[in-house]
Amino acid sequence: MDFTHFLYSLLAIVNAMSPYVLLGFLVAGLLHVFVRPEVMARHLAGGGWKPVVKAALFGIPLPLCSCGVLPAAVALRRRGASKGAATSFLIATPQTGVDSIAATYSLLGLPFAIIRPIAALFGAAAGGMAVDRADKEGATDPAAFETEAADAMPGTFWGKLAEAVRYGMVDMVAYVGKWLVIGLVVAAIITVFVPDELFVRLSAYPVIAMLLMVLVAVPMYVCATGSIPIALSLMLKGLTPGVAFVLLMAGPAANFASVMVIGRAMGRKATAVYVGSVVLTALLFGMVIDYLLPASWFLPAVTSLDPACHHGVGIFESLCSVLLAGLLVYAAVRNRGHKKACHCGGHDECFVVKENQTNEKDMIPTNTYKIDGMACAHCRMTVEKALSALPGALEVSVDLSKGTATVVGAVDEAAVEKAVLLAGFTFGGGLNSFGGE
């Protein structure tokens, strides 16, 4: 009976979220294609509050989690964004995103969907300006920009639209799919197997519950969309909306891995401000929700995950759920098969024979490079795209587990290093070199 209840609860959450998540993925693809990083960076140079606020506004709709935002923020910094603006972007981006805002509305209601980006904007702007005040080198001369684009895009409008759909429905699903599934499963497990009494006791002490939630949420890795079903299940178990909001804001924005990388890329002061801004903003807005705003505003849009309450399921929602499930399965198969893309099966020692070449013993130069900072499928795709755009690159294979990239073709190592740095990662040098013309 419990397992049947679990399946019904999981289905209820998926049906409520899937139309909005798919819409969010599509908008994410449009943002990726039509809003270029080099254009963003030009607006984020210099001191003062304007670049900081612009960085937060740029970051709020982007669907990047706390590990995926790191290379994007470092790339903006390398292209001229001030340190305060880069910090603001780091704070705002993982807490929201068009997909998570849409999904927040679908499960938790309009007030949550409105307050979530407002809190992200407030915390990011405050944190970014604090970094600029603490670090006088935060401002950057606009003349110091890198001028080349990070990657090539189709030239025609329809080509760009097709790329937007492909990126949103394939790359973005591969990027957040794992964490979305984990969030859904955890939410269903909480709903079915965790006793209500545990949360009813905590709900009598909201501030203590918020502090405990910070201790759980900060080290936990969960994306902005994946945190929503968990927050819903906690509210339905009796926790206050403010405590759930702390999870929504603190969970996606900080984890141990991201803090370590930020410390290396931005410095200790910026890292301390980053973590402090995330925690204080989450607690402040959580207390505002629980103590100052009407409780009736924060009744979740989905008020029960009981199987008895879900006899009628809409056809459109069901079709969206089937489509989302199909995209998730495709992304999982694609990621698993990715290591086999290289002729060598993913090993460092890779030889590829040139096609249409009379002497089959001649081999294309193949080099493997160490790249630090990659943490997820999105990082891998970013590196692949940056290296594949280099002149002479015939094939690129990135091994996420080893932190390496194998480039097939006559590509200069200096060009590889520059592309890796512009993508926001650390270049560790070449590991080997084979073949030759």
Side-chain angles (χ1 to χ4, degrees):
M1 179 62 184
D2 282 342
F3 184 70
T4 302
H5 191 182
F6 169 82
L7 291 178
Y8 270 103
S9 299
L10 183 61
L11 180 62
I13 301 173
V14 172
N15 279 335
M17 284 184 67
S18 58
Y20 298 92
V21 172
L22 291 173
L23 176 62
F25 284 151
L26 179 59
V27 176
L30 295 173
L31 289 172
H32 170 75
V33 171
F34 292 101
V35 180
R36 309 303 301 137
E38 57 272 14
V39 176
M40 290 172 54
R42 291 186 180 276
H43 289 275
L44 307 184
W49 62 270
K50 288 185 179 180
V52 171
V53 173
K54 286 181 180 179
L57 293 174
F58 278 137
I60 284 172
L62 295 181
L64 296 175
C65 69
S66 57
C67 76
V69 72
L70 295 175
V74 173
L76 288 176
R77 174 70 177 147
R78 292 185 185 278
R79 292 178 189 178
S82 69
K83 186 172 286 189
T87 304
S88 176
F89 184 82
L90 275 171
I91 295 171
T93 306
Q95 293 180 327
T96 55
V98 287
D99 57 330
S100 65
I101 293 172
T104 301
Y105 170 74
S106 69
L107 291 187
L108 300 177
L110 184 60
F112 268 110
I114 293 174
I115 293 179
R116 195 174 186 184
I118 291 175
L121 175 62
F122 177 85
M129 286 186 285
V131 166
D132 271 347
R133 284 195 296 269
D135 192 335
K136 300 303 182 182
E137 296 179 358
T140 305
D141 185 356
F145 287 115
E146 297 283 353
T147 57
E148 60 182 277
D151 45 51
M153 284 291 170
T156 66
F157 172 79
W158 294 110
K160 291 181 179 179
L161 192 61
E163 169 62 15
V165 174
R166 187 206 63 78
Y167 180 85
M169 297 301 177
V170 178
D171 289 356
M172 275 303 306
V173 174
Y175 171 41
V176 305
K178 174 183 176 181
W179 305 109
L180 176 59
V181 171
I182 290 174
L184 292 169
V185 171
V186 169
I189 290 174
I190 292 173
T191 300
V192 176
F193 297 105
V194 177
D196 293 354
E197 294 78 10
L198 175 64
F199 297 106
V200 169
R201 293 171 186 170
L202 281 175
S203 64
Y205 308 96
V207 175
I208 295 176
M210 288 178 198
L211 294 174
L212 291 175
M213 184 60 71
V214 167
L215 294 178
V216 173
V218 168
M220 180 174 63
Y221 189 98
V222 61
C223 72
T225 303
S227 65
I228 299 166
I230 301 176
L232 171 66
S233 63
L234 293 176
M235 287 180 63
L236 294 179
K237 284 291 182 177
L239 282 182
T240 65
V243 177
F245 192 81
V246 170
L247 170 64
L248 290 176
M249 302 306 291
N255 59 71
F256 286 143
S258 65
V259 169
M260 291 176 64
V261 175
I262 292 169
R264 183 175 59 186
M266 305 289 291
R268 293 182 179 179
K269 289 182 180 179
T271 304
V273 171
Y274 169 83
V275 176
S277 297
V278 169
V279 172
L280 291 177
T281 301
L283 292 173
L284 174 63
F285 276 83
M287 287 187 282
V288 167
I289 288 173
D290 276 352
Y291 291 104
L292 298 181
L293 298 179
S296 59
W297 286 11
F298 299 97
L299 297 176
V302 175
T303 56
S304 175
L305 298 178
D306 193 309
C309 299
H310 299 286
H311 294 302
V313 178
I315 295 177
F316 177 72
E317 290 81 0
S318 298
L319 291 175
C320 289
S321 297
V322 170
L323 175 59
L324 180 60
L327 292 172
L328 290 169
V329 171
Y330 173 74
V333 172
R334 180 170 174 260
N335 284 341
R336 176 172 293 183
H338 187 272
K339 290 186 178 180
K340 301 179 180 179
C342 183
H343 291 275
C344 64
H347 300 293
D348 288 344
E349 296 78 10
C350 177
F351 295 91
V352 182
V353 179
K354 283 185 179 180
E355 297 179 0
N356 302 322
Q357 190 172 24
T358 56
N359 185 357
E360 294 185 357
K361 293 184 179 180
D362 289 342
M363 296 179 185
I364 299 176
T366 301
N367 297 279
T368 300
Y369 303 97
K370 180 66 177 175
I371 300 175
D372 297 321
M374 297 187 296
C376 65
H378 184 269
C379 300
R380 187 196 68 211
M381 290 185 289
T382 300
V383 172
E384 281 184 348
K385 184 172 292 187
L387 297 182
S388 297
L390 294 175
L394 303 178
E395 183 176 348
V396 175
S397 178
V398 176
D399 190 323
L400 189 61
S401 61
K402 296 180 180 179
T404 61
T406 300
V407 180
V408 180
V411 181
D412 184 62
E413 182 172 321
V416 174
E417 180 178 6
K418 185 176 182 181
V420 170
L421 293 176
L422 282 175
F425 299 92
T426 302
F427 182 73
L431 299 179
N432 54 41
S433 180
F434 302 107
E437 297 290 328

